[in-house]
Amino acid sequence: LRSWSPTRCRRANASRRACLIARFNFIYAKDRLDAEILLKKYICDIEMVQRIIYVAAVESFRAAKKAFWKIKIGVKGTLAVDHCGGPASLEIAALDYIACHKDLYDVCCSVQEVICAMNVNPKLPCPQNVDFNVINCFIRELCCLAFSMQTLAPPLDVAFGVDGELFNRSMYYRSCDSDFTAPFVAYHVWPALMENGCVLVKGEVVTRK
């Protein structure tokens, strides 16, 4: 295990953070649209397609965080045997170890967990109508990104939105087909990226009266 100075750790964390935020933006700008194209072959309703993408994003973060915490418990237990510092330094050592050994994460399990959650989501089409495996690669990319974001201190996460909530301009952009006078969110297109309760990257919503 490498012994890094606090300054070097902060630099490494800041560098990883910037790369992961850029990757999140790229998925929104490119991969999300590619996933929409795949789904449109099976679903004509663009609103439903966008709802599916949003749920996939939120569920990917949930599944990745769950897997991360299980792995971190095991890594901390292993490192604690030879660790000489306190709990804070053990936490940083565990995060650094996981960041350098991403093969500890079985992303396939998370992908299947996400698809299962989508199959039972009452707001999405029945499994007989569409196979969510068509966006398997998109979900996989999101899970890997979400997992890597948990190795940061503090970790990054996405905001979970609720249909009908009051539109928050500091957290979301309105989609181009929104009613710009409507005060409430009809549905969410993309989640906002958060850090310690603060918005790093705005999400996207559709507002309608």
Side-chain angles (χ1 to χ4, degrees):
L1 187 68
R2 290 173 295 182
S3 179
W4 286 8
S5 68
T7 302
R8 189 175 177 186
C9 283
R10 282 194 295 271
R11 274 201 224 106
N13 190 75
S15 177
R16 283 210 316 271
R17 178 179 177 274
C19 289
L20 292 172
I21 292 173
R23 192 169 153 203
F24 180 82
N25 287 331
F26 181 82
I27 291 176
Y28 167 69
K30 175 70 169 57
D31 295 356
R32 175 182 65 92
L33 299 180
D34 290 343
E36 281 189 8
I37 291 170
L38 289 173
L39 286 169
K40 283 176 183 175
K41 295 177 181 178
Y42 307 92
I43 303 171
C44 298
D45 184 357
I46 183 61
E47 177 179 329
M48 185 53 67
V49 168
Q50 291 178 330
R51 283 182 180 273
I52 291 170
I53 297 292
Y54 175 77
V55 171
V58 172
E59 288 294 339
S60 293
F61 268 79
R62 185 195 60 78
K65 285 190 296 179
K66 179 180 172 183
F68 176 82
W69 284 109
K70 288 181 179 178
I71 291 170
K72 191 173 82 164
I73 289 171
V75 168
K76 286 177 75 172
T78 302
L79 296 181
V81 176
D82 299 315
H83 189 72
C84 300
S89 62
L90 177 59
E91 179 79 11
I92 296 299
L95 293 179
D96 180 48
Y97 184 89
I98 297 170
C100 296
H101 297 82
K102 293 189 180 71
D103 55 315
L104 292 170
Y105 178 40
D106 185 357
V107 67
C108 293
C109 287
S110 288
V111 171
Q112 288 309 308
E113 188 176 333
V114 171
I115 291 174
C116 286
M118 294 173 71
N119 282 335
V120 297
N121 190 306
K123 292 185 178 180
L124 301 185
C126 295
Q128 293 83 359
N129 298 336
V130 58
D131 183 359
F132 296 124
N133 272 298
V134 297
I135 55 170
N136 182 294
C137 293
F138 173 71
I139 295 171
R140 183 186 183 90
E141 185 68 16
L142 278 169
C143 286
C144 289
L145 173 65
F147 185 86
S148 294
M149 284 181 167
Q150 304 315 300
T151 66
L152 300 173
L156 305 185
D157 198 1
V158 292
F160 180 77
V162 180
D163 290 354
E165 68 178 303
L166 189 65
F167 173 69
N168 183 346
R169 67 176 65 254
S170 65
M171 184 175 286
Y172 298 110
Y173 293 108
R174 293 181 199 259
S175 189
C176 59
D177 56 346
S178 294
D179 179 340
F180 282 76
T181 63
F184 300 107
V185 173
Y187 66 93
H188 296 73
V189 176
W190 190 249
L193 186 65
M194 312 290 289
E195 181 184 59
N196 272 348
C198 298
V199 179
L200 289 181
V201 181
K202 285 185 180 184
E204 183 181 343
V205 298
V206 173
T207 56
R208 290 183 188 141
K209 290 182 179 176

